[in-house]
Amino acid sequence: MAIGQSVKRKEDARFLTGRGVYTDDINRPGQLHAVIVRSPLPHARIAGIDAGETLAAEGVVAVFTGADMAADGVGSLPCGWLIHNKDGSEMVEPPHPPLVAERVRHVGDQVAVVIAETRAQAKRAAQLLDVDYEDLDAVVSCADATEDGAPLVWDEAPGNTCYDWELGDREATDAAFERAAQVVELDLVNNRLVPNAMEPRAAIGEYDPAGGNYTLTTTSQAPHVVRLLMGAFVLNLPEHKLRVVAPDVGGGFGSKIFHYAEEAIVTWAAGKLARPVKWTAERSESFVSDAHGRDHVSHAELAVDEQGQFLGLRVRTVANMGAYLSTFATSIPTYLYATLLAGCYRTPAIYCEVRSVFTNTVPVDAYRGAGRPEAAYLLERLVDKAARQLGIDRIELRRRNFIPKDAFPYATPVALEYDTGDYEATLDLALSQADWDGFESRREEAAARGKLRGIGASTYVEACGIAPSAVAGALGARAGLYESAVVRVHPTGSVSVLTGSHSHGQGHETTFAQIVADRLGVDIDAVEVVHGDTEIIPFGMGTYGSRSLAVGGSALFKALDKVVAKGKKIAAHMLEAAADDIEFADGQFKVAGTESSVALDEVAFAAYVPHDYPIEELEPGLEETAFYDPANFTFPAGCHICEVEIDPETGAVELVGVTVADDVGRVINPMIVEGQIHGGLAQGIGQALLENCVYDENGQLLTSSFMNYAMPRAADLPSFDVGHHVTPCTHNPLGVKGVGEVGSIGVPPAVINAVLDALAPLGVGDIEMPATPERVWRAIRDARAAG
Amino acid sequence: MARMSLNVNGRDVSADVPDATLLVELLREHLDLRGVHVGCDTSQCGACSVLVDGRSVKSCTMFAGEADGSSVTTIEGLADGAELHPMQQAFRECHALQCGFCTPGMVLSAIDLLERQPDPGESEIREWLEGNLCRCTGYHNIVEAVKSCAAAQRS
Amino acid sequence: MQDFALHRPTSAAAAVETCRGCDEGRYLAGGQSLIPMMKLDLALPSDLVSLAGIAELSGIRREGETLTIGAAETHAAVAESAEVAGAIPALAGLAARIGDAQVRNRGTLGGSIAHADPAADYPAALLALGAAIVTDRREIEAESFFAGPYETALEAGELIRAARFPIPEAAAYAKFPQPASKFALVGVFLARTAEGVRVAVTGAATTVFRADAIEQALERSFEASALDGLEIPPDGLTDNLDASAEYRAHLIGAMTRRALTAI
């Protein structure tokens, strides 16, 4: 049984020996190098561009501007999700040209591309480009953008509003507040983050004039999506003339889902120049051109009765979209956020309003968790505050409001139907693993050392594998949300899997091979998982939202079913039995109740060498394709517990314990699953304690490099204690839910709840993420001053 | 333009490159050692780490000319044929890599640590690895790999 | 990066001579600050004179009550030196926490102090210990060496050969790092010598400075309680994204107490 085993990863062989091939590792004959000239200003009109000196510089082949692309009919980078306002009207959807011609709208906005024989030449020449900017006033924060009389990022978006959207029953929620014994209120900021996958983005465009074919090699999590968007909306290239390849990709975390301007620029320029054109971001460029994450400002209110039962939840959120609508930007603070506001709780009435605003900042889009961390953070902070306000133990308060395990399927008041879960189980597991009950003695021991020790928990639920397509479509999604898989059994019995689900660290090449090995009874080394090339893979919606296994794995499972079904027919012929009498297990087709059997490789051979074959009824070959469109989201859930020690003198927070118990559904490879949880935890802890993307009031990005954007390092983190409790997903064939994002969703509120627990004796009631030493120190000082 | 000779992964090489060539550029672009990765431009991430005369350095923060006469080891030079270096093996066993981008620098940095301190404690390992950023693993399994490699090498 | 000529002299005299003949010549020590600056075009030398091959710039030796460290000694070498650990363990500890392992393998004492980053660690040690900076032409007291952010008393082409540290009775360094860069948000080097207590602060202002008020308090009583009630005013301290002046002022006291505990 390959499923459930910690099989060592197949992909490691190349990564450990330096033989991974990332986009920047690829060079094409005759290749040119592109450098993007970016706006140094947050908001300005382009009065003119003088490329004279640039064109004269050594090695320069071409300079293209927005006007050149527009003149060539290049379109706008599309947004993939249409949101409707409360009144039913459509959101404001401004144009997003790959190179802007008239007005720059954030520091880093693309103004021109300089293409030269070498990268150094292009870089030098780019510095010579003379762009005449007329400065305009900028807006930066959610608060700025919504102020009366604020400068407008887009003239067509009054009040800088992209949309003003709502979810839930307002009247029922208001009524719940009217009969509440108490109302708990909380204002919070979900801090803006920079995803910072370790591999900077890169792209190579190629054009073959002989056949009129274009190839884009790019750092993408979703090459088919890029082909669809770039081909159909931006460059007007039909799919059969456009190949998109995503080779090894060095992490994405959401930031590499989107179709970016540079992909269109190098592809288009390659066509213009009939030479390959390569662009690789420098890290400082990544900071101002990769989509950022989070950036919400919210006000939340919870209505409770005397026993602590949640009666209603009312939330008002302003979400920062940045200057343009990135590919999935609009869906994040709506369908991936407000729909999760029920959390693990039976809150009967929920109403959420979200106003998304344009600002003169880098576009904001999905980053690990994408909407769900914002929901979990809001809810789990609010529950802890409610517990303090009501004088009820915070764990007990959660238990009182949990959706009980016998209540599934459970329809929330915010549009989701949870299929399964057992929130008490993961809570109990985490509490016992973390020795929650023994905490007070640890607090005392720390106090003896002059440290403030605190413990905090969060019980979260999330939604993965956005689905089904029909429902998403009705809610404004402009794409399907299925996944494809091909299982190709070769004549001698080895297997190739073609999956639309790209792997960039998640280990698909191993996990998917385990599914094949388990189902077909072949050795895992006889399975090759191929991904990332639109020329080879039928179709794919890509890797995001922890969907790969639940959706892509299910597509694979379906294709395997088809292979087995066909194999049974072939075996029936070979064994002179009825197909219905054939059983398949451990790689053997067997006539039920007999010893008569034939192996998979023999069946495959017969399928490809059909000398003795039911050719009238069955085509030769043993290859099947499946598309899987899920019936529902999956709903991983769990409990995360953090323990911190604070040095009251400096405010420094040391994370001394992280214990999690997650229900991610059935586990195929525990080693990989735990690795995914670890990584998500690190990013969630980063958000809670270290990372913060800061613009100054004029729109300049202050945290513009690793010198001042604090990435979590090894010494910033403890080891993690990871546990599982499984309730299998009820609607996909593998019973899997998804694991990529649970860490970044569950842990930020657990960290902050622990920090506030440590500070509670001093009278501190609130702190913002990241809880930096200075913020903690100030909170302590202010609380002491307040007495 | 300067002519320089150095030993890279056990092989003597010489190159004529402009003086402003960084070591990482020499390795990636002239010697085609693409396992040396560039993850930042401010000398923070450590993806480009290589061993120069046995010590880990960021090859983006050293000129090629400064390595003249030195011996340089990159990730490509660690395995002995099909046999992985014990640190590579430990990374595989402990699932200490995901996307693989930081891995070459991480492995070489960890090797430098064990050269200096064969029996490091967990906090020593974590502090030593501060020069190498990883966004995927949360470092948990990297620390486990270094511990396990250290234990294997001691026994 | 702008092209330049790299020179690799083998003697200090030749290095000085080479640099003198250059248009915009600069010495290249470990390059851990200079190379990142060159990448950003913040430094545009016509020539770099590498100090790596000059044996006379290396060496760590103790003579009586003085510890002399060659300018080309890396932070790693200082951190690992038994000589340093024996004479001024706080200095070895400081070197062991500069930047990260790779930076310590390349970065040098001379390079660090010539660069004079206002948040670098070494300047605090030099100032608190009353070290002398030995150049190709003179000795400069640390007191008059650090002139401002990235500014020193070095003349054009002047080459640091070594730093000479009087060995204190006791010393300690406490650093509160900026989490992204690992430079000191505030670092306090505390030394007790026969002449008295010296406290130098790095990271908190545009250049390293001595904390007179703390020194006076500790002269009266060399223990943490001497600092009780002592307010460090935030005036003149750095106030930026990394920390407010107020917090830096607070950290000066906190790091001083931490250093006192470590002694």
Side-chain angles (χ1 to χ4, degrees):
Chain A
M1 285 294 279
I3 286 183
Q5 303 296 310
S6 287
V7 174
K8 304 300 175 217
R9 294 204 322 172
K10 291 162 71 80
E11 43 272 82
D12 287 357
R14 67 178 188 276
F15 293 138
L16 279 168
T17 53
R19 294 195 184 90
V21 179
Y22 302 86
T23 299
D24 188 55
D25 298 338
I26 296 166
N27 290 303
R28 299 298 186 203
Q31 170 181 290
L32 296 167
H33 295 265
V35 165
I36 311 288
V37 177
R38 297 182 182 279
S39 172
L41 300 172
H43 200 187
R45 199 175 308 284
I46 300 173
I49 298 177
D50 180 354
E53 267 194 82
T54 306
L55 282 165
E58 189 188 355
V60 172
V61 174
V63 177
F64 296 117
T65 65
D68 297 320
M69 290 190 90
D72 208 37
V74 171
S76 174
L77 304 174
C79 177
W81 203 302
L82 174 68
I83 302 294
H84 289 86
N85 293 305
K86 288 173 183 166
D87 65 7
S89 61
E90 293 184 354
M91 69 184 188
V92 177
E93 197 172 358
H96 189 182
L99 290 174
V100 298
E102 291 162 11
R103 195 160 135 190
V104 292
R105 286 181 167 84
H106 67 87
V107 169
D109 210 350
Q110 301 86 217
V111 174
V113 58
V114 176
I115 298 170
E117 297 290 343
T118 71
R119 186 172 162 71
Q121 287 168 340
K123 204 175 164 184
R124 214 165 293 139
Q127 289 166 348
L128 301 173
L129 192 78
D130 185 5
V131 184
D132 185 9
Y133 293 106
E134 288 170 2
D135 217 346
L136 297 169
D137 289 338
V139 292
V140 180
S141 65
C142 291
D144 291 351
T146 52
E147 256 178 38
D148 286 341
L152 292 186
V153 181
W154 294 96
D155 300 340
E156 59 266 49
N160 289 309
T161 301
C162 172
Y163 55 76
D164 185 11
W165 173 89
E166 64 183 347
L167 182 70
D169 187 333
R170 177 175 213 152
E171 282 173 20
T173 308
D174 287 348
F177 276 82
E178 274 164 30
R179 55 172 202 279
Q182 289 210 45
V183 173
V184 184
E185 291 190 61
L186 187 59
D187 285 291
L188 7 80
V189 173
N190 205 284
N191 44 322
R192 186 179 180 115
L193 303 174
V194 183
N196 279 323
M198 291 318 301
E199 178 208 23
R201 284 191 299 116
I204 306 168
E206 292 171 80
Y207 177 63
D208 168 20
N213 296 307
Y214 288 83
T215 302
L216 168 68
T217 305
T218 181
T219 49
S220 179
Q221 300 175 224
H224 284 85
V225 174
V226 170
R227 185 183 63 168
L228 177 66
L229 297 180
M230 185 172 83
F233 297 95
V234 188
L235 298 184
N236 195 24
L237 298 172
E239 281 96 336
H240 71 293
K241 291 293 179 191
L242 174 59
R243 174 184 186 184
V244 177
V245 181
D248 286 327
V249 172
F253 316 111
S255 71
K256 291 173 180 168
I257 306 169
F258 324 123
H259 173 37
Y260 282 99
E262 296 84 1
E263 295 170 326
I265 293 168
V266 296
T267 308
W268 177 80
K272 288 280 131 196
L273 303 171
R275 288 176 67 178
V277 177
K278 177 176 181 177
W279 166 81
T280 302
E282 296 187 343
R283 178 61 60 183
S284 49
E285 204 176 357
S286 308
F287 271 91
V288 295
S289 67
D290 291 3
H292 293 174
R294 316 281 193 261
D295 204 345
H296 284 196
V297 177
S298 297
H299 178 73
E301 300 163 273
L302 182 67
V304 289
D305 72 9
E306 291 82 0
Q307 286 74 45
Q309 293 293 333
F310 303 162
L311 303 175
L313 174 68
R314 209 157 42 194
V315 177
R316 206 167 58 236
T317 292
V318 181
N320 197 337
M321 293 280 103
Y324 301 92
L325 298 182
S326 175
T327 309
F328 289 119
T330 51
S331 63
I332 311 305
T334 49
Y335 293 105
L336 290 176
Y337 164 69
T339 51
L340 271 300
L341 286 173
C344 302
Y345 311 111
R346 281 172 304 170
T347 317
I350 300 175
Y351 176 71
C352 178
E353 295 173 280
V354 179
R355 178 174 169 191
S356 278
V357 295
F358 294 107
T359 62
N360 294 108
T361 64
V362 171
V364 180
D365 205 328
Y367 166 59
R368 201 169 196 165
R372 290 151 289 164
E374 294 91 320
Y377 180 66
L378 179 141
L379 207 49
E380 293 304 302
R381 286 284 315 275
L382 194 58
V383 171
D384 255 36
K385 185 165 184 189
R388 270 196 301 277
Q389 189 170 321
L390 296 164
I392 300 175
D393 176 79
R394 50 202 160 139
I395 300 301
E396 172 57 24
L397 184 62
R398 285 176 167 85
R399 287 191 202 276
R400 280 186 203 174
N401 286 282
F402 272 164
I403 300 161
K405 69 175 174 186
D406 55 9
F408 295 99
Y410 176 84
T412 73
V414 274
L416 298 178
E417 184 178 280
Y418 300 164
D419 63 333
T420 178
D422 185 349
Y423 308 140
E424 293 268 359
T426 43
L427 174 64
D428 288 335
L429 181 59
L431 290 174
S432 104
Q433 282 293 110
D435 185 25
W436 180 279
D437 291 340
F439 173 72
E440 283 311 319
S441 66
R442 298 196 291 282
R443 195 198 296 268
E444 283 162 26
E445 184 275 331
R449 287 183 282 111
K451 294 287 172 67
L452 301 165
R453 194 160 172 130
I455 193 165
S458 83
T459 49
Y460 72 93
V461 65
E462 63 141 327
C464 299
I466 316 173
S469 289
V471 172
L475 298 177
R478 287 162 165 165
L481 296 162
Y482 50 82
E483 197 48 83
S484 84
V486 174
V487 174
R488 181 176 296 157
V489 183
H490 297 288
T492 59
S494 67
V495 181
S496 292
V497 171
L498 316 183
T499 171
S501 186
H502 189 273
S503 181
H504 32 278
Q506 299 89 342
H508 294 20
E509 292 168 36
T510 305
T511 303
F512 283 22
Q514 284 178 256
I515 294 169
V516 174
D518 187 79
R519 186 76 178 98
L520 296 186
V522 297
D523 192 279
I524 195 163
D525 290 329
V527 184
E528 187 82 1
V529 176
V530 182
H531 58 92
D533 187 342
T534 62
E535 196 95 319
I536 301 173
I537 317 295
F539 207 79
M541 291 312 298
T543 295
Y544 54 86
S546 308
R547 70 194 297 275
S548 290
L549 194 55
V551 190
S554 295
L556 171 58
F557 194 89
K558 250 182 95 175
L560 288 166
D561 271 353
K562 291 186 184 180
V563 165
V564 170
K566 182 170 180 180
K568 282 182 179 174
K569 291 181 188 165
I570 301 168
H573 177 85
M574 294 169 79
L575 298 170
E576 297 179 344
D580 286 348
D581 292 338
I582 305 292
E583 293 171 343
F584 180 69
D586 302 326
Q588 297 289 325
F589 293 93
K590 194 172 160 194
V591 183
T594 74
E595 288 308 305
S596 176
S597 72
V598 59
L600 175 72
D601 55 352
E602 296 170 85
V603 167
F605 193 80
Y608 286 96
V609 187
H611 295 165
D612 178 14
Y613 193 82
I615 204 84
E616 290 80 20
E617 299 135 48
L618 222 48
E619 293 172 9
L622 193 52
E623 166 171 333
E624 295 291 347
T625 300
F627 281 63
Y628 176 78
D629 199 278
N632 190 359
F633 286 83
T634 62
F635 299 98
C639 176
H640 291 187
I641 293 175
C642 291
E643 212 162 315
V644 300
E645 275 191 13
I646 295 173
D647 177 352
E649 184 155 38
T650 61
V653 178
E654 189 193 351
L655 194 55
V656 291
V658 177
T659 307
V660 305
D662 298 299
D663 176 0
V664 299
R666 191 165 172 222
V667 172
I668 308 291
N669 184 320
M671 175 190 83
I672 288 176
V673 161
E674 289 186 9
Q676 289 293 305
I677 292 171
H678 295 159
L681 288 172
Q683 289 180 13
I685 293 163
Q687 169 164 33
L689 293 177
L690 293 161
E691 298 179 45
N692 200 18
C693 176
V694 183
Y695 282 88
D696 72 10
E697 58 192 24
N698 302 315
Q700 290 293 334
L701 181 61
L702 296 179
T703 47
S704 57
S705 80
F706 290 152
M707 290 292 282
N708 41 35
Y709 183 88
M711 294 276 282
R713 289 176 154 88
D716 297 319
L717 300 169
S719 286
F720 307 125
D721 182 351
V722 174
H724 306 284
H725 175 85
V726 175
T727 64
C729 171
T730 59
H731 57 77
N732 68 43
L734 290 164
V736 299
K737 295 184 178 176
V739 67
E741 296 160 296
V742 295
S744 60
I745 292 168
V747 90
V751 174
I752 298 299
N753 286 343
V755 168
L756 290 175
D757 181 55
L759 299 178
L762 305 178
V764 175
D766 190 23
I767 197 144
E768 276 184 15
M769 295 194 292
T772 60
E774 178 163 359
R775 280 182 175 169
V776 173
W777 170 74
R778 278 184 187 285
I780 293 172
R781 193 194 54 171
D782 293 351
R784 280 180 176 153
Chain B
M1 203 66 127
R3 180 156 193 87
M4 68 194 68
S5 305
L6 59 167
N7 184 287
V8 179
N9 296 333
R11 193 165 56 95
D12 288 330
V13 295
S14 46
D16 287 294
V17 293
D19 284 350
T21 305
L22 295 165
L23 178 58
V24 67
E25 293 167 339
L26 175 74
L27 296 171
R28 272 184 72 80
E29 288 158 32
H30 298 264
L31 303 178
D32 208 30
L33 294 166
R34 309 243 159 212
V36 189
H37 296 154
V38 178
C40 79
D41 49 6
T42 53
S43 309
Q44 296 279 310
C45 82
C48 66
S49 296
V50 299
L51 300 178
V52 175
D53 296 327
R55 307 208 71 147
S56 57
V57 307
K58 291 172 182 169
S59 63
C60 76
T61 313
M62 178 171 178
F63 291 112
E66 295 181 272
D68 188 18
S70 295
S71 127
V72 175
T73 304
T74 72
I75 192 74
E76 289 90 344
L78 285 181
D80 182 5
E83 186 157 340
L84 295 177
H85 182 281
M87 189 63 77
Q88 290 171 309
Q89 191 59 37
F91 267 57
R92 178 174 150 76
E93 291 297 323
C94 297
H95 186 35
L97 65 155
Q98 291 183 25
C99 82
F101 197 78
C102 76
T103 308
M106 199 67 84
V107 166
L108 289 160
S109 181
I111 288 172
D112 186 19
L113 168 63
L114 295 195
E115 280 295 315
R116 236 146 291 285
Q117 164 57 286
D119 187 13
E122 171 150 348
S123 62
E124 260 177 299
I125 296 171
R126 288 183 178 275
E127 276 162 25
W128 181 270
L129 295 177
E130 284 199 325
N132 295 81
L133 290 175
C134 171
R135 196 59 152 164
C136 292
T137 63
Y139 306 100
H140 179 108
N141 285 342
I142 292 173
V143 174
E144 292 304 311
V146 178
K147 280 189 207 163
S148 128
C149 184
Q153 288 192 333
R154 284 196 311 273
S155 64
Chain C
M1 193 183 310
Q2 180 180 292
D3 211 356
F4 59 84
L6 179 69
H7 307 272
R8 304 175 71 207
T10 52
S11 74
V16 172
E17 195 52 38
T18 306
C19 198
R20 184 175 299 143
C22 298
D23 196 16
E24 283 288 333
R26 285 192 72 159
Y27 296 116
L28 174 65
Q32 300 303 287
S33 294
L34 181 56
I35 296 174
M37 285 175 71
M38 289 173 67
K39 287 190 201 174
L40 296 169
D41 287 340
L42 294 174
L44 298 164
S46 64
D47 297 76
L48 285 182
V49 181
S50 168
L51 306 176
I54 304 176
E56 63 196 283
L57 299 181
S58 296
I60 298 174
R61 53 186 190 282
R62 178 180 183 158
E63 288 157 323
E65 287 311 294
T66 303
L67 179 73
T68 303
I69 301 179
E73 290 295 341
T74 63
H75 309 325
V78 173
E80 290 166 13
S81 158
E83 205 76 69
V84 178
I88 316 176
L91 192 59
L94 173 149
R97 299 307 308 274
I98 296 174
D100 53 49
Q102 292 94 323
V103 166
R104 294 192 290 274
N105 280 340
R106 294 289 301 162
T108 69
L109 169 66
S112 172
I113 58 181
H115 183 60
D117 190 300
D121 299 297
Y122 266 130
L126 267 77
L127 193 56
L129 293 168
I133 291 100
V134 184
T135 76
D136 63 305
R137 59 200 72 166
R138 59 183 169 150
E139 276 196 22
I140 310 171
E141 292 302 318
E143 207 75 51
S144 49
F145 184 83
F146 298 103
Y150 311 102
E151 274 178 45
T152 67
L154 290 171
E155 295 164 359
E158 188 168 4
L159 175 68
I160 301 174
R161 296 179 59 97
R164 205 167 276 161
F165 298 88
I167 296 170
E169 292 168 9
Y173 180 60
K175 168 182 176 176
F176 196 84
Q178 195 263 56
S181 69
K182 297 290 163 189
F183 274 92
L185 203 53
V186 168
V188 173
F189 201 104
L190 176 68
R192 197 180 64 211
T193 70
E195 287 79 49
V197 178
R198 293 169 64 103
V199 178
V201 180
T202 189
T206 52
T207 188
V208 64
F209 65 92
R210 281 177 64 183
D212 304 334
I214 296 178
E215 289 183 359
Q216 285 154 19
L218 293 177
E219 283 293 355
R220 288 193 292 275
S221 159
F222 194 71
E223 53 193 42
S225 61
L227 302 173
D228 291 349
L230 183 72
E231 282 289 318
I232 316 282
D235 314 293
L237 298 185
T238 305
D239 191 288
N240 62 12
L241 173 71
D242 300 329
S244 67
E246 208 183 359
Y247 184 55
R248 281 191 167 91
H250 170 76
L251 283 179
I252 291 171
M255 290 304 108
T256 305
R257 274 186 283 273
R258 194 173 286 180
L260 271 169
T261 318
I263 276 186

